[in-house]
Amino acid sequence: MNRHLEELIELSKLDRAIDDFNPVVEKLQSKLDRKRDKKEEIEKLKLDLEATIQETKVKISSFESQIKVLKEQLNSSAKREKLVKSEKELKALRTESELAKEGISNINEEIDRLNILLDSQEDKLEDLEKKLKKARDDFEKFYSEYMDRMERIEKQRRELFLKRETKIRTIDQKVLAFYEKIRRWSKNSAVVPVRKQACYGCYMKLNDSSYAEVIRAEEICTCHHCGRILYSAEA
Ligand SMILES: [Zn+2]
């Protein structure tokens, strides 16, 4: 076999092995992203719910202050009732007291409603905290697995790159440039086998004379259909 062709076959195998890490890295990265997104989504829900709970508490405390004011009003009306001189004044005071009592009762109902709401919000928060802990643990666990695997991949990748560097130093520069040019569009299928007289890059059948050239392998042959470098896999 032509020496240049032999070297290109080896180089293309190295390039394919280097490229093969890409989908693995992408998969790891997207798994990590999904786990981070899930964790952050729950963190956001938790923050929102905490703000809502705070609002509910502020509402309750504002209603409680209103009740306090109304109760003071009731006490002062009761005191003033003892001092009034006319029926008219007494009637006015009584109406004022009735209104205050009604107000207190309405506000108490509202506070009861808000307390029920607060209970359910706090239950939800507890639930979210559990979910968040699980999502955080899940993320942390996967993160260390991710780092380990990435480190191993980087090491393997570096080794392959070094091998590639060594390899391309021995390859004729014109042949290498020719290979790189094809690789630009064909990615890691710049050098492909021929099987059953077909190019395994474009899967088109070669004519008899091209096929014979590929089998002879005296020089670098390319596919007349797609332009990839061919070698016979049936030798
Ligand atoms: Zn082809």
Side-chain angles (χ1 to χ4, degrees):
M1 191 188 271
N2 178 298
R3 186 177 59 87
H4 296 313
L5 181 60
E6 242 172 295
E7 283 170 337
L8 284 187
I9 293 171
E10 282 171 36
L11 178 63
S12 75
K13 280 180 184 160
L14 276 176
D15 277 336
R16 204 167 302 140
I18 293 169
D19 286 351
D20 280 348
F21 284 112
N22 293 343
V24 180
V25 170
E26 270 170 35
K27 214 173 151 191
L28 281 172
Q29 186 63 50
S30 86
K31 196 172 173 187
L32 184 73
D33 289 346
R34 275 202 309 279
K35 287 183 187 293
R36 182 187 289 117
D37 287 350
K38 194 178 174 193
K39 176 179 78 90
E40 288 177 354
E41 190 191 314
I42 302 175
E43 277 165 354
K44 193 187 171 299
L45 285 174
K46 185 176 169 259
L47 278 178
D48 288 348
L49 186 57
E50 279 167 346
T52 309
I53 287 176
Q54 193 49 34
E55 277 171 32
T56 309
K57 284 181 175 168
V58 167
K59 277 184 198 160
I60 291 175
S61 111
S62 131
F63 279 135
E64 280 166 350
S65 315
Q66 286 180 38
I67 284 189
K68 210 174 153 200
V69 171
L70 287 170
K71 279 187 174 162
E72 276 162 13
Q73 218 171 304
L74 267 183
N75 279 340
S76 109
S77 299
K79 279 178 197 154
R80 276 187 289 153
E81 261 184 44
K82 290 171 192 155
L83 308 167
V84 291
K85 303 209 166 58
S86 73
E87 193 66 26
K88 199 179 162 195
E89 263 182 287
L90 188 65
K91 214 176 159 191
L93 271 177
R94 292 244 163 105
T95 309
E96 203 182 295
S97 300
E98 285 308 314
L99 282 176
K101 277 181 197 158
E102 206 183 305
I104 289 172
S105 144
N106 286 342
I107 292 169
N108 270 327
E109 271 175 34
E110 200 53 27
I111 290 176
D112 287 346
R113 192 187 67 80
L114 285 173
N115 273 322
I116 290 169
L117 182 67
L118 186 63
D119 279 348
S120 88
Q121 286 168 345
E122 278 171 342
D123 284 348
K124 264 189 213 158
L125 183 64
E126 206 178 306
D127 195 39
L128 271 184
E129 274 161 355
K130 277 181 203 154
K131 279 187 186 150
L132 182 58
K133 190 187 174 303
K134 199 168 165 281
R136 275 180 180 154
D137 289 350
D138 195 35
F139 174 78
E140 296 300 332
K141 196 175 150 231
F142 184 70
Y143 185 72
S144 65
E145 187 187 322
Y146 166 87
M147 293 301 277
D148 284 350
R149 291 188 63 185
M150 285 304 282
E151 201 179 309
R152 261 181 284 148
I153 287 172
E154 281 313 318
K155 192 169 168 271
Q156 288 168 313
R157 242 198 313 215
R158 264 200 309 277
E159 281 164 12
L160 287 171
F161 270 122
L162 284 176
K163 271 190 193 166
R164 187 183 198 277
E165 288 297 305
T166 316
K167 177 120 289 274
I168 58 173
R169 253 180 262 138
T170 65
I171 297 179
D172 178 87
Q173 288 308 298
K174 272 190 195 154
V175 172
L176 182 64
F178 181 60
Y179 166 79
E180 292 293 3
K181 204 174 144 195
I182 299 173
R183 205 171 123 74
R184 234 172 278 150
W185 58 266
S186 69
K187 305 295 171 210
N188 61 20
S189 67
V191 181
V192 290
V194 170
R195 289 192 180 100
K196 292 177 188 143
Q197 206 172 328
C199 160
Y200 262 57
C202 67
Y203 302 101
M204 301 277 279
K205 196 168 185 245
L206 303 179
N207 64 34
D208 291 343
S209 76
S210 302
Y211 186 47
E213 273 178 46
V214 171
I215 291 177
R216 271 201 307 276
E218 281 166 5
E219 47 197 301
I220 294 175
C221 307
T222 53
C223 170
H224 291 289
H225 305 288
C226 68
R228 288 181 174 89
I229 298 164
L230 302 174
Y231 66 94
S232 171
E234 286 161 344

